[in-house]
Structure formats: structure tokens, C-alpha cells
């Protein structure tokens, strides 16, 4: 059984909700808490709570940082919050509560917490700065971020396409300059392979939980594909063989205004982290459906 702390910007791209649904149904997972990051963090917490309640679960949820570490003119909002009217949820969330909760939880469970970061890294960076011992007290840190492919990078709107780093590059740099016992990163070069198309026969949205996921993700799906970026990160906590990995160092650009948030990987056996380098696409979808849709 893994003890999971989930840090998420749920409420925009449907993949955060798909990730949460997987964790709620994964029998080897104990979600010890959920924290939210990004614009309107209280509404994001409400969405997370509504999805948990749709699964029949009551999970500790704390709203986190609404602003990035340094000023940023962008203020992303959770479009999925428009669907809150249709789902039961708590409304008493207050922002800037996440770091205290994470710190207390990790210190109460040293070397037992798997921290899963699927939003930008403001909450995580603030946590590491407030208590520099925290990284060494984690069991592992899994992050969805980066584009570790020159070919893909050239075809994307960079650095903005690498949202989780670009929106708060200074936070990202803080996190990647710390040492965690196990640190794995999953970039767009791998997660972008996990698009569910009409030709795929997986039937996702039959249960009450998955109907909630579909509802909160529907504003996103009006104009975007359904890509399972974040669910891959969660699945690999329990089925690491779904991907192959390389060890090395990750550098985050936090000074050059034209390249803010861009992440580069240097393969090195002495490195402090690993990146996913390939994924078993069909194996992932079979595993995801077998867990999330039962």
C-alpha cells in the first residue's frame, strides 16, 4: 500500500481528473491528502472533493498557492468549476493551506509518502523552501513536466507548451535542485502518445465516478484532445514497467526570458532523477481501464 499526496491544478485539462479517478480506485493506494495549485484554488479543491464524493470517498483536501513565486500576468481558472452545481461538494476551502498540511503529513510519515505533482510546482517549491529537510523525508517524488525531445519541442509552442514548468519556472528550478530518494519525471514526449481516439474501444464513462470526471472535463474536451498525461504518472507509481527510464540531471531555465521553463536532460548515472523514455501505450490503457472503470 502506497501513501499518496496528490498536488494538482485540477479543473482545466481533464487529465488531472482522470488521474484522481485512477488513484481513488487503485486498491494499493491510500490517498492521504490532495492539494490544489493555480488560479481559483478553492474552486479546484471543490472539484477534487466532488470527484472524491462521486467515488464515495472523503479525502483531506487543502487549497494551496494561487499566485506563482514571482509575478506572472497569467491567471488560469478552472473552467470545469461551471459543473459544480451538479455534484455534491464541500465549499469551506481556504487558499494557502496546502504547504502546512503537506509538511505536517510528511513529517508524521517519514520515508513513507509518495508525492505526486501534476500541476505547476509552486506548492512543492514553497514546501521545500519552508522546510529544507522535507525532500529527504519523502519516499519518492513523481512529476509530470518537460519535453525531452528536440523534434517534438520544435513542433510545439515552446516554452508555453511545457505548462507545468513554464507557468512558474522559478518554482520548477527549486524542485529540480533538491535531492529526493526516488525522483521520476514524465515529459510530454512520452505522455503525448497517450491520446484516446474514436478508434480505441475502451469504454470509460459508465460509473458514477467516471461520469463526474467526464462532466468536469467537458469544457476542456470541447476544444482539446483527451490525452492521459497525468494518469501515466500515477499508474507508474504502481506499475513502473509501463515505461522505460534513464537516469541523469534536469536543468530548468529560469533566467532567459525567451526560454523560461524549458527543461533539458543530461544522461548521467550519477544523476539525481530519472525521466521516462518510452511507454507501453496499449498496456497503459488496459491497466488504466481495469482500475478506474470498475
Amino acid at each position: 500500500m502506497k501513501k499518496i499526496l496528490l498536488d494538482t491544478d485540477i479543473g482545466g485539462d481533464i487529465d488531472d481528473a482522470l488521474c484522481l479517478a485512477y488513484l481513488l480506485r487503485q486498491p494499493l493506494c491510500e490517498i492521504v491528502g490532495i492539494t490544489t495549485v493555480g488560479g481559483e484554488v478553492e474552486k479546484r479543491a471543490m472539484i477534487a472533493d466532488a470527484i472524491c464524493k462521486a467515488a464515495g470517498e472523503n479525502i483531506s483536501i487543502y487549497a494551496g498557492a494561487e499566485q506563482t513565486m514571482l509575478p506572472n500576468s497569467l491567471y488560469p481558472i478552472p473552467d470545469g468549476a461551471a459543473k459544480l452545481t451538479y455534484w455534491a461538494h464541500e465549499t469551506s476551502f481556504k487558499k494557502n493551506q496546502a504547504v502546512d498540511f503537506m509538511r505536517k503529513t510528511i513529517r508524521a510519515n517519514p520515508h513513507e509518502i509518495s508525492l505526486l505533482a501534476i500541476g505547476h510546482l509552486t506548492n512543492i517549491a514553497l514546501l521545500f523552501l519552508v522546510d529544507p529537510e522535507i525532500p529527504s523525508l519523502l519516499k519518492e517524488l513523481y512529476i509530470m513536466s518537460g519535453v525531452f525531445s528536440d523534434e517534438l519541442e520544435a513542433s510545439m509552442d515552446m516554452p508555453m507548451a511545457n505548462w507545468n514548468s513554464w507557468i512558474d519556472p522559478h518554482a520548477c528550478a527549486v524542485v529540480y535542485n533538491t535531492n529526493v530518494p526516488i525522483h521520476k519525471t514524465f515529459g510530454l514526449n512520452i505522455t503525448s502518445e497517450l491520446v484516446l481516439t474514436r478508434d480505441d474501444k475502451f469504454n470509460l464513462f459508465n460509473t458514477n465516478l467516471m461520469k463526474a470526471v467526464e462532466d468536469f472535463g467537458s469544457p476542456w474536451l470541447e476544444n482539446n484532445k483527451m490525452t492521459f498525461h497525468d494518469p501515466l504518472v500515477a499508474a507508474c507509481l504502481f506499475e513502473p514497467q509501463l515505461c522505460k527510464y534513464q537516469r541523469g540531471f534536469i536543468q530548468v531555465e529560469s533566467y532567459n526570458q525567451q526560454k523560461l521553463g524549458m527543461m533539458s536532460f543530461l544522461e548521467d548515472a550519477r544523476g539525481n532523477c530519472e525521466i521516462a523514455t518510452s511507454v507501453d501505450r496499449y498496456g497503459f490503457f488496459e491497466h488504466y481501464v481495469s482500475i478506474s472503470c470498475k
Side-chain angles (χ1 to χ4, degrees), residues 143 145-146 148 176 183-187 250 263 273-276:
I143 298 175
S145 193
F148 305 106
Y176 279 94
H183 183 169
K184 290 186 177 181
T185 293
F186 299 76
I250 290 176
M263 301 170 71
C273 64
E274 294 178 277
I275 65 166

Side-chain angles (χ1 to χ4, degrees), residues 180-184 245-249 265-275 277:
V180 178
I182 298 173
H183 183 169
K184 290 186 177 181
Y245 309 89
Q246 288 181 346
R247 177 167 290 279
F249 296 97
F265 175 74
L266 175 64
E267 185 177 3
D268 192 319
R270 301 165 298 175
N272 65 343
C273 64
E274 294 178 277
I275 65 166
T277 56

Side-chain angles (χ1 to χ4, degrees), residues 32-238:
V32 297
I34 299 169
T35 54
T36 59
V37 67
E40 298 185 352
V41 282
E42 300 98 330
K43 288 184 180 178
R44 297 181 191 274
M46 293 177 201
I47 293 170
D49 186 60
I51 292 173
C52 290
K53 284 181 167 50
E57 300 287 344
N58 289 306
I59 306 294
S60 297
I61 300 174
Y62 290 83
E66 191 165 61
Q67 302 293 338
T68 54
M69 289 182 65
L70 291 181
N72 191 319
S73 60
L74 288 175
Y75 185 75
I77 61 173
D79 293 333
K83 303 294 184 175
L84 281 168
T85 303
Y86 307 107
W87 299 89
H89 62 279
E90 300 295 330
T91 60
S92 57
F93 301 103
K94 297 180 180 179
K95 60 186 175 183
N96 297 319
Q97 306 296 305
V99 171
D100 286 344
F101 168 72
M102 287 192 289
R103 180 174 181 269
K104 290 175 183 176
T105 301
I106 294 165
R107 283 202 163 273
N109 301 273
H111 314 296
E112 295 182 4
I113 299 296
S114 300
L115 179 54
L116 176 55
I118 58 173
H120 57 85
L121 296 172
T122 309
N123 284 341
I124 313 301
L126 291 172
L127 171 68
F128 288 0
L129 291 171
V130 165
D131 189 340
E133 192 178 6
I134 287 293
S136 67
L137 295 178
L138 287 168
K139 178 180 180 180
E140 53 198 350
L141 172 62
Y142 277 46
I143 298 175
M144 195 277 122
S145 193
V147 188
F148 305 106
S149 163
D150 292 340
E151 182 179 352
L152 183 60
E153 196 172 275
S155 69
M156 303 179 79
D157 181 16
M158 294 296 294
M160 186 175 180
N162 181 20
W163 179 265
N164 286 349
S165 176
W166 178 77
I167 191 74
D168 197 347
H170 300 84
C172 192
V174 167
V175 172
Y176 279 94
N177 278 288
T178 58
N179 292 317
V180 178
I182 298 173
H183 183 169
K184 290 186 177 181
T185 293
F186 299 76
L188 286 168
N189 50 303
I190 301 304
T191 63
S192 293
E193 297 181 29
L194 303 178
V195 179
L196 203 60
T197 68
R198 292 180 179 179
D199 294 331
D200 294 305
K201 303 303 180 183
F202 300 110
N203 197 350
L204 288 179
F205 301 117
N206 282 337
T207 66
N208 192 57
L209 167 59
M210 294 305 289
K211 286 176 181 176
V213 169
E214 182 182 29
D215 204 22
F216 286 113
S218 58
W220 172 266
L221 292 177
E222 288 178 5
N223 300 301
N224 300 277
K225 297 177 181 178
M226 183 162 61
T227 308
F228 286 63
H229 303 289
D230 298 337
L232 175 64
V233 188
C236 286
L237 277 165
F238 303 91

